[in-house]
Amino acid sequence: MAEPVVILGLTGSIGTGKTFAARTFARAGATIFDADAVVHSLLAPGGTAVAAVGAAFPEVVRRGPGGPWADRSGLADRVFADGEALARLEAILHPLTEAARARFLRHAAASRRRLAVVDVPLLFETGGERQCDAVVLVTAPLFLQTQRVLRRPGMTSARLDGIRRRQLSQAEKSRRATYVVRSGLGFRPTLRAVCRIVRQLRYRRGVKWPPRGAALRRP
């Protein structure tokens, strides 16, 4: 029989060290939903979003041995500073990502996983915190974020500024979060903070999943 799952939202501004925190939660026994990885798969060859993205933005679709795929870099350039284009893209990707999240949680519940971490960069911006039992925010000093992000291939200061404009401030996110992990202090303090959160949630009962009245089956 499926069991209630504690859903822990994991979020943070770009370059704060969220990926390391997610890996640490996984090592502590949590099962992880990576929203960015889901979007990558949706846009990859054979991805279920490629046709719809191609219809909306035909210039970003490429052909390859595995079938058509959407050029994520070209897509980012296309919607950069174009709010209407970004809204069209989100209308395609968000329902598919949400469906993948629901499948993940059904599997976690049926597999009797006690803690499910939902890694979503724009969790607060999209209202996703309302679907979580608790939220952990990963933060880092602004200068460290900037250093980390500008080392990424294809990243520019202008693109980073555009990304930041879409994100709430760290102060606002910290106010809303249940837990705050400061990754700028180093790996060991981050590891200790994550383990502390896992211990605190060990005996908590999830109330967000399964949905009220839902009859879950094993996937």
Side-chain angles (χ1 to χ4, degrees):
M1 183 177 180
E3 295 289 336
V5 177
V6 175
I7 303 175
L8 178 65
L10 174 63
T11 194
S13 300
I14 187 169
T16 55
K18 187 167 54 63
T19 299
F20 175 74
R23 289 199 298 263
T24 305
F25 274 110
R27 286 196 292 268
T31 183
I32 312 295
F33 174 80
D34 185 339
D36 274 348
V38 169
V39 171
H40 287 200
S41 69
L42 292 173
L43 299 174
T48 54
V50 174
V53 169
F57 310 101
E59 68 276 16
V60 307
V61 173
R62 307 287 182 263
R63 301 275 172 187
W69 53 280
D71 179 356
R72 294 179 61 252
S73 178
L75 190 56
D77 290 338
R78 174 65 182 82
V79 303
F80 182 72
D82 185 339
E84 184 180 339
L86 178 60
R88 290 203 308 273
L89 178 62
E90 290 176 340
I92 295 168
L93 297 179
H94 283 182
L96 295 172
T97 304
E98 181 59 27
R101 175 185 175 275
R103 289 193 298 271
F104 162 82
L105 290 173
R106 282 197 297 270
H107 185 275
S111 303
R112 298 177 182 270
R113 301 299 294 265
R114 290 275 303 139
L115 178 61
V117 173
V118 177
D119 179 352
V120 181
L122 297 178
L123 185 75
F124 287 119
E125 290 82 351
T126 58
E129 78 277 11
R130 294 190 293 270
Q131 299 173 318
C132 301
D133 294 292
V135 175
V136 56
L137 171 72
V138 184
T139 69
L142 187 62
F143 79 90
L144 184 56
Q145 290 181 47
T146 303
Q147 288 177 359
R148 289 169 173 171
V149 176
L150 291 182
R151 287 197 294 263
R152 299 180 183 181
M155 183 58 67
T156 65
S157 295
R159 180 171 286 182
L160 175 57
D161 288 342
I163 292 170
R164 282 174 169 160
R165 282 195 295 270
R166 292 181 57 208
Q167 299 182 339
L168 293 175
S169 68
Q170 290 209 53
E172 178 61 18
K173 290 180 180 180
S174 296
R175 186 185 69 80
R176 298 189 190 187
T178 315
Y179 307 100
V180 176
V181 172
R182 294 176 172 81
S183 73
L185 300 176
F187 290 145
R188 289 186 178 180
T190 300
L191 176 62
R192 287 196 293 269
V194 168
C195 290
R196 214 166 27 242
I197 293 168
V198 171
R199 286 196 299 270
Q200 291 179 21
L201 294 176
R202 184 169 296 161
Y203 302 107
R204 180 167 177 170
R205 183 178 177 85
V207 298
K208 300 293 185 176
W209 192 273
R212 184 173 298 178
L216 299 183
R217 300 176 181 176
R218 288 189 180 275

